[in-house]
Structure formats: structure tokens, C-alpha cells
Amino acid sequence: MPQSERAVRTQELRLEWWTPRETGSAPAGAAVVTGVFDLLHVGHVRFLEAVRERAREAGLGGLVVGVEDDQRTRAWKGPERPVNTAEERAELLAALRAVDAVCVVHGDPAVVDGQAYERVLLPLRPAALAYTEGDPHAEAKRRAAAELGAAAWEIPLVAGRSTTRLLTGAEADPAA
């Protein structure tokens, strides 16, 4: 169950915070990643560990993960998704040692532009935005990072690991 002490809102998107386990607030100057993170698998874990390690090496404040809500996930991934609710996905992510804070991204599924993410992430003052190689929104994330004064980090995809592949046995889908 989320423990939302505060929320960050824009006209289009809203972040609902889970209480970070040690600091009581989101780490300033952190690396930020957003995604669905449905059916947590080794590709997710290795990606988050790689981002956290890079953040540590860069002297950043940690790793904040934004989990897309159920409505947005269903619109993007299909009626059978998500398998796990946003609250369950946030709880799982918050339990990982690589993750310092978790929030759920709420909003109309049609809102996917980088500017909406810029506005909702601005209060976090992120030092880096990270995404996986092959992310279909990579260009928008690079632009958002530039607008926020943050670095854009492209992290190599873990080959053969995706939620879509787990669910369908299909070839790995980098966007899943």
C-alpha cells in the first residue's frame, strides 16, 4: 500500500511517492528511470543495478524509479497488462537494494511527450535520466534530460530478457 507523503503534479502527469526507506524523502540530484516494470525479471534488476552503480560513481544522490500506473500500462501494453498492479510493482522495486525511492506516474495514457515528464520531474532536480538501449522514447528522454540540465544515460539492454518474452515466449521486445 503506498505511503504517499506528498505528490508532485503537473496538468498532465502526477507522481505519487512511496516513502523512501532511509531518508524519508526522494534523494536530490539522483538518477531517475521510468517504466512499466511488470513481472520484475533479471533484465530489470541488472538495468537498475547498472544505473545505481553509475550514479554512485558519479557521486549522485541515488536512484529514483517511476512506475507507470495501471491505466497507462494497459493502454500501451494491451488489455491483459499489467499483470501486477502499480502498487505491487512499486513495492517490489522499493525492496531492491539498488533503488532509493519509488513513485507511481499517474496520468492520461495519451500523455507521452517529454515535456510532460520534464514538468513532473523538475521538482526532483534529477542529475541523470537513464533508459535502456532501444527504448522507443529515447530521443524524448534525451531532450527531457537536456531541458532539466541532467545527463542522459543509455544503458545496454539485457539480451533476451523482457516481460513480453516471459508472457508470450516471443523474441525479446526492448520496449517491454
Side-chain angles (χ1 to χ4, degrees):
M1 176 178 228
Q3 301 172 12
S4 52
E5 294 179 344
R6 64 186 176 94
V8 176
R9 298 175 188 265
T10 69
Q11 286 186 331
E12 300 95 356
L13 297 176
R14 177 178 59 89
L15 301 181
E16 178 183 19
W17 286 96
W18 282 65
T19 304
R21 60 177 159 236
E22 293 177 14
T23 64
S25 64
V32 174
V33 302
T34 60
V36 172
F37 298 100
D38 198 10
L39 291 183
L40 194 63
H41 56 75
V42 72
H44 291 132
V45 173
R46 291 176 186 169
F47 166 70
L48 295 170
E49 287 177 343
V51 175
R52 181 65 172 103
E53 179 60 20
R54 190 161 177 184
R56 187 192 63 73
E57 289 172 357
L60 302 187
L63 174 58
V64 175
V65 179
V67 177
E68 299 293 346
D69 73 14
D70 296 345
Q71 177 186 5
R72 292 169 64 78
T73 299
R74 194 168 297 108
W76 299 345
K77 302 289 187 178
E80 301 300 317
R81 301 275 299 273
V83 173
N84 295 305
T85 67
E87 291 77 17
E88 291 168 338
R89 291 179 278 136
E91 184 177 344
L92 285 167
L93 288 161
L96 297 177
R97 72 173 170 251
V99 176
D100 295 292
V102 179
C103 58
V104 177
V105 180
H106 295 281
D108 185 320
V111 178
V112 295
D113 65 282
Q115 291 177 336
Y117 280 93
E118 288 170 34
R119 287 188 295 275
V120 80
L121 295 176
L122 183 62
L124 300 180
R125 299 180 327 273
L129 299 183
Y131 53 91
T132 56
E133 176 182 29
D135 183 324
H137 304 289
E139 184 55 38
K141 291 178 181 183
R142 284 190 289 271
R143 283 194 306 269
E147 288 297 320
L148 291 165
W153 295 345
E154 183 173 276
I155 306 298
L157 187 66
V158 177
R161 301 293 183 252
S162 78
T163 300
T164 298
R165 184 172 183 168
L166 285 173
L167 291 171
T168 66
E171 287 301 308
D173 175 2

